[in-house]
């Protein structure tokens, strides 16, 4: 087990989280109002869904715009950042980027797992919407993909499809 032995006596920043993540590759780290959120690696199911969705997007012309578990800034300050399970960006991203600006994200995807239900269903969608990310998809434990589109500063559901049906079809326009 990795233990963070010395943390600053102030709210953490995204730069702090980047350094922590470099030292501990066994966990995923997010930042909420300067508070560190630590998550274990995803389950086999969780990782498989990320892989399947990534392969689907890559095979449909989104190469260079799809990544698994990138950092996304969720506020204008340096105290808030989340790690969606998958993103599609609006264009190419420099290779050394750690924290994406939300304006660079066309779609954020969260895969609901035991222990992340409230975060993935209630907290993250609010933060992504307020950050202006146009599309948000949530994969439920029954493999239903619930699709949302930004409507003002909140998401409105526009579709719900079984994961296998989604992956068997064409990728919608994510620009």
């Amino acid at each position: 087990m990795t233990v963070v032995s010395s943390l600053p006596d102030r709210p953490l920043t995204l730069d702090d989280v980047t350094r922590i993540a470099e030292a501990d590759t066994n966990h995923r780290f997010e930042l909420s109002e300067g508070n560190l959120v630590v998550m274990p690696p995803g389950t086999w199911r969780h990782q498989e869904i990320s892989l399947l969705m990534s392969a689907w997007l890559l095979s449909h012309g989104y190469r260079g715009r799809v990544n698994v578990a990138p950092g996304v800034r969720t506020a204008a300050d340096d105290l808030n950042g989340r790690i969606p399970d998958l993103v599609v960006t609006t264009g190419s991203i420099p290779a050394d980027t750690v924290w994406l600006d939300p304006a660079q994200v066309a779609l954020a995807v969260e895969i609901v797992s035991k222990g992340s239900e409230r975060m993935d269903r209630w907290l993250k969608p609010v933060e992504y919407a307020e950050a202006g990310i146009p599309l948000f998809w949530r994969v439920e434990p029954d493999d239903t993909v619930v699709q949302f589109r930004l409507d003002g500063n909140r998401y409105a559901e526009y579709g719900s499809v079984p994961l296998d049906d989604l992956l068997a079809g064409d990728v919608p326009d994510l620009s």
Side-chain angles (χ1 to χ4, degrees):
M1 173 192 322
T2 302
V3 177
V4 178
S5 60
S6 98
L7 293 174
D9 293 333
R10 59 170 167 71
L12 295 176
T13 67
L14 293 175
D15 287 338
D16 295 326
V17 173
T18 300
R19 283 191 291 280
I20 291 167
E22 288 169 351
D24 181 349
T25 58
N26 293 323
H27 296 89
R28 293 175 294 151
F29 301 94
E30 295 180 338
L31 199 60
S32 179
E33 302 296 327
N35 298 298
L36 189 63
V37 179
V38 182
M39 298 155 302
T43 63
W44 181 270
R45 173 196 168 275
H46 187 278
Q47 298 305 89
E48 182 180 34
I49 291 171
S50 290
L51 178 64
L52 289 169
M53 291 184 82
S54 296
W56 175 66
L57 289 159
L58 290 169
S59 70
H60 284 84
Y62 285 89
R63 185 174 178 163
R65 292 183 50 198
V66 177
N67 211 331
V68 176
V72 175
R73 293 175 181 275
T74 54
D77 58 35
D78 203 27
L79 303 176
N80 294 278
R82 294 293 184 178
I83 310 271
D85 294 313
L86 179 97
V87 299
V88 175
T89 63
T90 57
S92 337
I93 302 296
D96 62 346
T97 301
V98 176
W99 295 98
L100 295 168
D101 185 279
Q104 296 173 296
V105 180
L107 167 68
V109 178
E110 292 292 348
I111 301 164
V112 179
S113 298
K114 186 160 181 58
S116 74
E117 298 95 342
R118 290 179 60 145
M119 187 85 68
D120 293 341
R121 290 187 185 124
W122 306 109
L123 300 175
K124 288 185 178 185
V126 168
E127 290 182 33
Y128 295 158
E130 288 178 352
I133 296 172
L135 297 171
F136 171 68
W137 292 356
R138 186 179 66 234
V139 182
E140 290 291 340
D142 68 356
D143 287 350
T144 299
V145 181
V146 185
Q147 301 167 312
F148 301 88
R149 180 175 292 117
L150 195 59
D151 183 10
N153 66 347
R154 56 193 304 199
Y155 287 118
E157 184 177 334
Y158 70 89
S160 179
V161 61
L163 177 64
D164 287 343
D165 291 354
L166 179 78
L167 298 176
D170 290 330
V171 175
D173 181 16
L174 300 175
S175 24

